[in-house]
Amino acid sequence: MSDAIALASAAALVTASGVVGWLIRRWLGTHAHRYDDEADLPRRTHSWVPVASALVLPLVAASGWLSHGWSLAVVQWALGAVLLTMAAIDIDVRRLPDRFTKPLVAISVVATGGVALVAGAGGDWVRALLGGLALGVVYLVLALLGGGSGLGLGDVKLAPSLGVLLAFHGWSEVVVATVLAFVSAGLFGLVLLVLRRAGRRSTLAFGPHMIGSALFVLGAPGLGWLASAG
C-alpha cells in the first residue's frame, strides 16, 4: 500500500508540475513580459517549458524532501517554477526582469528561513544567507570587470537568490552550480560559433545557464534517489 501511495503521489506531483508549466507557457504566449520596444522581437517557442517543468520540478521537490522534509520540498518546487519562468523570459528577450529578480531575493531568504524554523536548521539558514551574499558579490565583481560586455545586471540580481537556495544545502552546491553555469555557457557559445549562428562578439543570455545549473544541482539528489529506487 505504501508503494502505491508513493507512486500515486509522484504521479500527482508530475501532473501538477506539468500543469504549472503549461500555465507558464500560456502566460509567456501573451508576451506580457515584453516591453513596448520588444514587441517586434522574433516570437520564440515556449513548448519546452511544460516538459521541463514536469521533469525538473518533481526532482527539486524530491531533493528538498530528502534534505529537510516537506517544507523545503514546497519551497524548491515553487521557486523552481519561478526560475523556469525567468529562464524562458531571458531566452526570449535577453533580459531578467527586476519584478522577478528583486522580490526573489527577499522571498528566498524568508522561505528558507521558514524551512529552518520547521526543520530546525538554523545553521543551514545562516550558511544560505552567507552564500547569497557571496554569490552576489562574485557576480557583481565579474560584471564590473566585464565592463558591460559580459554579465548583465539582471544576472547579478539573480545571483543572491540562487546562492541562498544552493548554500542552504552546502557550499559545494554553490561552487558546482557556478562552475557548471560558466562551462555550459562556454560550450553553448562554442557550438553556436561552429554552426555559424553567432559571432565572436555576439552576446548570449547567461541567466538560463545560471538557472539551469542551479536546478540541476538542486535536483541531483532526487535523481539519484529515483535511480537507486528503480
Side-chain angles (χ1 to χ4, degrees), residues 127-195:
R127 185 180 60 239
L129 298 181
L130 295 175
L133 177 62
L135 199 60
V137 170
V138 168
Y139 271 88
L140 177 59
V141 170
L142 291 175
L144 292 175
L145 292 176
S149 61
L151 297 174
L153 288 180
D155 302 324
V156 176
K157 296 171 187 175
L158 171 64
S161 301
L162 298 182
V164 168
L165 291 173
L166 291 163
F168 196 81
H169 293 271
W171 287 110
S172 59
E173 282 78 359
V174 179
V175 174
V176 171
T178 303
V179 172
L180 186 59
F182 284 96
V183 170
S184 65
L187 291 175
F188 183 68
L190 181 61
V191 170
L192 292 182
L193 283 174
V194 171
L195 297 177

Side-chain angles (χ1 to χ4, degrees), residues 29-95:
T30 67
H31 295 108
H33 60 282
R34 290 190 174 192
Y35 291 153
D36 291 339
D37 59 353
E38 296 170 340
D40 295 330
L41 290 176
R43 294 180 178 268
R44 302 179 186 274
T45 179
H46 305 295
S47 58
W48 61 272
V49 175
V51 177
S53 183
L55 293 176
V56 174
L57 296 189
L59 290 177
V60 298
S63 297
W65 182 281
L66 292 170
S67 176
H68 291 78
W70 67 267
S71 56
L72 188 57
V74 172
V75 167
Q76 291 193 168
W77 186 84
L79 295 188
V82 175
L83 290 172
L84 282 176
T85 304
M86 294 171 66
I89 292 174
D90 202 11
I91 291 172
D92 186 39
V93 297
R94 305 289 177 84
R95 173 177 55 80

